[in-house]
Amino acid sequence: IIVWALGIIYILDYMGVNVTALLAGISIGGLALALAAQDTVKNFFGSIMIFLDKPFQIGDLVEFEGTTGSIEEVGVRSTRIRTVTNSLMYVPNARIADSVINNLGLRVFRRFYTELGVTYDTSPALIEKFVEGIRKIIEMHPLTVKDRYEVHLNSFASSSLNIILLVFFDTRDWSIELKSRHELMVAVIRLAEAIGVRFAFPTQTLHIEEMPQLGSANTPAPQSHEDADTHMTQFLGEIESYFAERQKPETDKGLN
């Protein structure tokens, strides 16, 4: 192309054509054409970047600027995404090339996170049993990842004690993921019913305090400082033993 272009310019110059003016006109026209078609050029180069980087493939489920859908076709100018509401979205390739895309189709495991709120009158021993039972349920489920789950008492909320439940399902099918969630949640609810754990909901309790001179005879007398110190020392000793027991490896616990 370069040799032919130089040859044509040489022939035109030999024929007496003002080559300088001709090149200037072609340059101005090319500039105007480039400005008019800059979006098309950007989308074309965006499609090249998509084909080179391969951030997704046909059929992958992606999240793009708040929209979730599967890739149907990648064209020269735009990409077609079939959304979860079954509508078809056309996105310019230049926009995709400059945006952050979350490829959900490449997930190895499916993450499930929730918080279980139990009432404040639940005893610590019962909470321990409840957490232990949830862990055993996760271990028994056929699709849970056995080395990547967390179940712990996590926070003191305004009306509940919150237990976090984080688990991964070994599946790439969304329908199977939902089915596994259903099975796990039903099992947790049945466990709570079996051992007597009550789930909390937002409540407010109003306490009416009696005047000191009208106090009830059943009102317990306040403890002295000496009694409080004794109970505190005993309690801290129990907590120290509890923490030490929790820090032991699982193998040592089994031997003990």
Side-chain angles (χ1 to χ4, degrees):
I1 294 174
I2 294 175
V3 171
W4 275 97
L6 292 176
I8 293 173
I9 292 173
Y10 179 78
I11 293 173
L12 292 176
D13 183 62
Y14 181 78
M15 296 174 59
V17 178
N18 190 348
V19 179
T20 303
L22 179 62
L23 292 177
I26 294 176
S27 300
I28 295 174
L31 179 61
L33 181 62
L35 291 176
Q38 59 178 339
D39 291 337
T40 302
V41 174
K42 285 166 49 177
N43 291 325
F44 174 73
F45 282 103
S47 63
I48 294 178
M49 295 304 299
I50 292 174
F51 284 118
L52 292 178
D53 292 342
K54 296 181 180 179
F56 46 74
Q57 296 180 355
I58 303 300
D60 282 351
L61 184 67
V62 299
E63 283 184 352
F64 172 74
E65 295 184 355
T67 302
T68 303
S70 58
I71 303 296
E72 282 201 351
E73 183 180 351
V74 180
V76 177
R77 194 197 72 85
S78 63
T79 297
R80 295 194 302 181
I81 301 177
R82 179 71 64 177
T83 66
V84 292
T85 59
N86 205 31
S87 62
L88 193 60
M89 184 172 64
Y90 291 83
V91 184
N93 289 332
R95 187 175 172 184
I96 293 180
D98 293 335
S99 301
V100 177
I101 299 176
N102 185 11
N103 193 333
L104 303 176
L106 295 180
R107 291 180 297 174
V108 179
F109 305 124
R110 297 297 179 95
R111 178 179 181 268
F112 174 52
Y113 173 84
T114 188
E115 289 191 357
L116 308 174
V118 300
T119 57
Y120 265 98
D121 58 358
T122 309
S123 66
L126 191 55
I127 291 178
E128 293 280 9
K129 290 294 183 183
F130 187 50
V131 170
E132 180 184 355
I134 295 175
R135 292 171 180 168
K136 290 182 178 179
I137 290 173
I138 295 174
E139 291 286 345
M140 289 186 293
H141 196 281
L143 292 183
T144 54
V145 181
K146 303 303 185 287
D147 58 346
R148 300 186 64 179
Y149 68 85
E150 300 291 343
V151 184
H152 304 284
L153 182 63
N154 185 59
S155 63
F156 296 94
S158 59
S159 58
S160 64
L161 299 170
N162 289 343
I163 300 172
I164 63 168
L165 171 59
L166 173 63
V167 66
F168 292 87
F169 295 107
D170 188 6
T171 179
R172 295 191 178 185
D173 189 281
W174 187 49
S175 179
I176 297 178
E177 176 192 358
L178 295 179
K179 182 175 179 292
S180 300
R181 287 190 183 191
H182 173 88
E183 295 169 347
L184 183 64
M185 294 172 68
V186 169
V188 171
I189 294 174
R190 289 181 176 177
L191 172 65
E193 291 179 351
I195 65 177
V197 171
R198 296 184 300 166
F199 292 108
F201 53 89
T203 57
Q204 289 184 345
T205 304
L206 180 63
H207 295 275
I208 301 177
E209 185 176 1
E210 296 180 347
M211 298 298 292
Q213 63 272 20
L214 301 178
S216 173
N218 296 326
T219 303
Q223 294 182 353
S224 63
H225 291 291
E226 291 77 9
D227 292 339
D229 291 339
T230 302
H231 289 301
M232 176 66 74
T233 302
Q234 181 181 358
F235 169 75
L236 292 179
E238 295 175 356
I239 292 299
E240 184 178 7
S241 301
Y242 170 76
F243 287 159
E245 182 67 22
R246 298 280 294 184
Q247 295 301 318
K248 288 183 179 180
E250 295 295 332
T251 55
D252 294 344
K253 293 180 183 178
L255 292 176
N256 293 333

